Amino acid sequence: MNAFQRGRSLLVAVLVMALTGLPRIVPAQAPESADLPARPSINASALYMVELKSGRVLLEKDATRRLPPASLTKIMTALIALESAPLQEEVKIDRHAIVHHSAYNFQAGETFLLRDLVTAMLVASANDACEAVAWHIGGDDKRFVAMMNERADKLGLKNTHFANPCGFDAPGHYSTAADLAKLTEQALQQPFFSMMVRTLMRDISTVDGARKMSLRSTNELLVDPNVNGVKTGYTSKAGRCLIASMFKDRQRLLLVALNMMDQWEQASRLLRYGQTVMQDTAS
């Protein structure tokens, strides 16, 4: 072996010794989020799901798109009523309010407690009860709608405008999934509202007791003990609309969906996804 070959062999030996002395490089572990469930498909025109305590948005799709909200509108109507008058106030139904009948057939001249009319509009989505509340609080529906839009401005609902108290399709009547989540969070701070939106059945009667009726919720998700609200809606233009609330393990998920397909199955699936995400990230 000549001098050149001996030098090359020595250099190789030194390099091998140096490399074997280096610490072993371990591949980085996959981030924790890799263990989370796959993001589910969303079959709705717009959707927004948030965990209220943390403010963490778990899912969204076109959450600021202006769309007709159908009877989700009644959340604003109820909020204004509860902020404006005592629950025990008597309301004589104005004849002008009976323009949209419900299955409960409220009649002009009947007197109910405000509490029971708000219950009817939140639990059973009764349009005639909703109109009666609007006329009683506002003096007429136009002044009440002005109150709704003023309240929306104060809440910072930049993409919301109302044209009627109950949610009928109309020009200039729109909201967004994100705005409706913010509105609902505000309304849930009202104890009576929070109690009514999780009520499956409730009996009400006229003040004189002459007529009684049994209300049943339009929200089929309430059969799940972890679901505690909130509101359904439907018109031919808006499609199926839903705001659902689930409370479990000290976390409250709020789901808002506009024009939602297969709403009960899909809402249940999305709430379960949100619950799993929150559990995995908390552990």
Side-chain angles (χ1 to χ4, degrees):
M1 179 181 297
N2 60 35
F4 173 77
Q5 289 174 326
R6 286 198 301 272
R8 187 175 62 179
S9 298
L10 179 60
L11 177 61
V12 170
V14 169
L15 288 174
V16 170
M17 290 176 64
L19 289 174
T20 54
L22 291 175
R24 186 170 58 93
I25 299 174
V26 180
Q29 292 183 344
E32 195 174 11
S33 59
D35 296 327
L36 296 179
R39 186 179 189 274
S41 59
I42 297 173
N43 197 359
S45 294
L47 184 135
Y48 188 80
M49 184 162 67
V50 60
E51 199 284 311
L52 291 182
K53 185 176 180 181
S54 65
R56 178 182 175 188
V57 178
L58 304 177
L59 284 174
E60 66 178 309
K61 174 187 175 182
D62 292 333
T64 59
R65 178 184 174 189
R66 294 177 175 181
L67 292 166
S71 283
L72 306 186
T73 303
K74 293 184 175 80
I75 294 173
M76 177 62 89
T77 302
L79 176 61
I80 292 175
L82 294 173
E83 291 177 340
S84 302
L87 289 170
Q88 296 304 114
E89 187 162 292
E90 293 187 4
V91 179
K92 186 176 182 179
I93 296 180
D94 192 293
R95 64 184 178 84
H96 296 99
I98 306 300
V99 291
H100 303 287
H101 286 280
S102 72
Y104 301 96
N105 200 28
F106 289 86
Q107 299 293 315
E110 289 183 321
T111 301
F112 289 84
L113 296 180
L114 178 63
R115 174 194 68 198
D116 290 338
L117 290 175
V118 172
T119 297
M121 57 185 279
L122 289 177
V123 174
S125 204
N127 291 317
D128 37 15
C130 175
E131 291 282 356
V133 168
W135 276 79
H136 177 74
I137 299 295
D140 63 42
D141 56 350
K142 289 184 176 59
R143 282 197 289 267
F144 188 82
V145 168
M147 294 171 68
M148 296 171 73
N149 287 318
E150 182 180 353
R151 192 71 176 91
D153 287 341
K154 288 182 179 178
L155 283 171
L157 308 184
K158 306 278 186 197
N159 292 299
T160 295
H161 188 270
F162 299 108
N164 59 77
C166 300
F168 299 106
D169 294 331
H173 192 92
Y174 56 80
S175 189
T176 69
D179 275 5
L180 288 165
K182 190 172 183 179
L183 169 62
T184 303
E185 185 175 6
Q186 180 69 32
L188 285 168
Q189 295 178 25
Q190 291 278 343
F192 185 79
F193 180 93
S194 183
M195 178 174 65
M196 285 303 101
V197 296
R198 63 175 183 263
T199 298
L200 192 57
M201 298 189 70
R202 176 69 59 136
D203 293 336
I204 66 171
S205 66
T206 54
V207 170
D208 61 10
R211 192 158 76 94
K212 298 180 180 180
M213 57 190 77
S214 295
L215 308 172
R216 182 172 181 83
S217 177
T218 57
N219 187 355
E220 295 184 14
L221 295 177
L222 290 177
V223 296
D224 183 333
N226 295 315
V227 173
N228 53 3
V230 176
K231 189 75 190 71
T232 65
Y234 173 79
T235 67
S236 57
K237 183 178 179 182
R240 301 288 175 187
C241 299
L242 176 68
I243 300 179
S245 170
M246 173 179 276
F247 185 79
K248 190 174 182 182
D249 299 328
R250 294 179 292 180
Q251 293 168 333
R252 185 166 198 165
L253 298 179
L254 189 67
L255 170 69
V256 181
L258 301 176
N259 189 26
M260 188 183 210
M261 306 297 114
D262 302 319
Q263 65 175 348
W264 306 126
E265 185 278 330
Q266 188 177 179
S268 296
R269 175 167 50 82
L270 294 176
L271 287 170
R272 288 195 302 270
Y273 165 82
Q275 188 179 11
T276 302
V277 169
M278 294 307 298
Q279 286 173 344
D280 286 352
T281 54
S283 59

